[in-house]
C-alpha cells in the first residue's frame, strides 16, 4: 500500500503510445502525479481528464509529469487519447490486471477497475500527497492545487 512520506512502489506500464514507462525513470528528474481512473470513454472520466488536459500548465509549471492510469487495454487508451487530444501519458494497468492499482490502494476488486485516486510523488520518489473519491464522484481541480503545493 502506498503511504505518505514513503518511497512510491515502482512499476513499468505500457502507454497509449506503446512505450514502456517506468516510475523510476522520473526519479531525480521530475515529480509525478499518478491519476488513477476507472475507465476510458466514460463521461465522468473523460470530463476529469479533459479538465486536466485544459489545465496541464498547472503541472508543467511545477515540473510535474502527469500519468493517468486505468485498467483499459493500451489500444483503447490510444483511441481515447486521440479522440480527446490528451498529450500526457495514459498508462495501461491491463495485465497483470490492476497490479499497479492494487499496489497504490486504488483497485476495486469486486468491479475489476481502479477508483479515482491521485498520488503526488516528489523528485526523490517519495509520496507527498494523495487523495481519492468514489468512482462516481469527480475530483476537484482544487484538490490537485493543494496536493501540488505539498511538493
Amino acid at each position: 500500500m502506498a503511504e505518505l512520506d514513503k518511497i512510491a512502489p515502482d512499476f513499468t506500464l505500457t502507454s497509449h503510445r506503446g512505450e514502456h514507462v517506468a516510475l523510476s525513470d522520473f526519479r531525480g528528474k521530475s515529480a509525478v502525479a499518478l491519476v488513477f481512473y476507472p475507465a476510458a470513454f466514460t463521461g465522468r472520466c473523460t470530463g476529469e481528464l479533459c479538465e486536466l488536459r485544459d489545465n496541464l500548465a498547472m503541472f508543467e509549471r511545477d515540473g510535474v509529469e502527469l500519468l493517468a492510469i486505468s485498467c483499459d487495454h493500451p489500444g483503447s487508451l490510444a483511441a481515447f487519447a486521440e479522440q480527446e487530444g490528451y498529450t500526457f501519458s495514459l498508462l495501461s494497468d491491463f495485465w497483470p490486471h490492476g497490479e499497479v492499482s492494487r499496489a497504490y490502494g486504488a483497485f476495486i476488486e469486486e468491479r475489476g477497475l481502479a477508483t479515482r485516486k491521485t498520488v503526488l510523488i516528489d523528485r526523490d520518489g517519495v509520496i507527498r500527497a494523495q487523495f481519492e473519491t468514489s468512482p462516481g464522484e469527480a475530483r476537484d481541480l482544487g484538490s490537485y492545487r493543494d496536493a501540488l503545493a505539498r511538493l
Side-chain angles (χ1 to χ4, degrees), residues 88-142:
F88 51 87
S89 291
L90 303 183
L91 303 181
S92 173
D93 195 12
F94 184 74
W95 195 256
H97 192 74
E99 181 177 71
V100 174
S101 300
R102 277 185 191 88
Y104 282 86
F107 192 72
I108 302 172
E109 292 290 339
E110 59 275 4
R111 296 184 64 193
L113 50 77
T115 192
R116 296 180 196 284
K117 183 170 188 174
T118 302
V119 180
L120 274 285
I121 302 164
D122 70 15
R123 300 179 123 204
D124 298 321
V126 177
I127 297 171
R128 295 300 179 192
Q130 54 186 336
F131 59 93
E132 76 180 271
T133 62
S134 69
E137 181 185 355
R139 287 163 279 202
D140 179 67
L141 195 59

Side-chain angles (χ1 to χ4, degrees), residues 37-51 80 83-84 86 116 135-138:
Y37 65 99
F41 297 106
T42 58
R44 194 161 283 117
C45 293
T46 300
E48 275 196 313
L49 294 182
C50 284
E51 183 174 44
F80 186 43
Q83 176 179 301
E84 301 301 334
Y86 300 139
R116 296 180 196 284
E137 181 185 355

Side-chain angles (χ1 to χ4, degrees), residues 6-119:
K6 302 283 185 189
I7 296 292
D10 196 20
F11 61 81
T12 300
L13 293 174
T14 303
S15 78
H16 71 279
R17 297 176 190 97
E19 304 163 333
H20 295 287
V21 176
L23 180 62
S24 57
D25 291 343
F26 300 97
R27 190 164 298 169
K29 298 175 187 168
S30 67
V32 176
L34 302 180
V35 179
F36 293 92
Y37 65 99
F41 297 106
T42 58
R44 194 161 283 117
C45 293
T46 300
E48 275 196 313
L49 294 182
C50 284
E51 183 174 44
L52 294 177
R53 176 200 64 204
D54 297 345
N55 290 280
L56 197 55
M58 173 174 80
F59 295 90
E60 292 170 343
R61 179 176 48 249
D62 290 331
V64 178
E65 185 75 25
L66 181 62
L67 303 175
I69 302 173
S70 74
C71 295
D72 295 298
H73 187 275
S76 295
L77 295 178
F80 186 43
E82 183 178 339
Q83 176 179 301
E84 301 301 334
Y86 300 139
T87 57
F88 51 87
S89 291
L90 303 183
L91 303 181
S92 173
D93 195 12
F94 184 74
W95 195 256
H97 192 74
E99 181 177 71
V100 174
S101 300
R102 277 185 191 88
Y104 282 86
F107 192 72
I108 302 172
E109 292 290 339
E110 59 275 4
R111 296 184 64 193
L113 50 77
T115 192
R116 296 180 196 284
K117 183 170 188 174
T118 302
V119 180

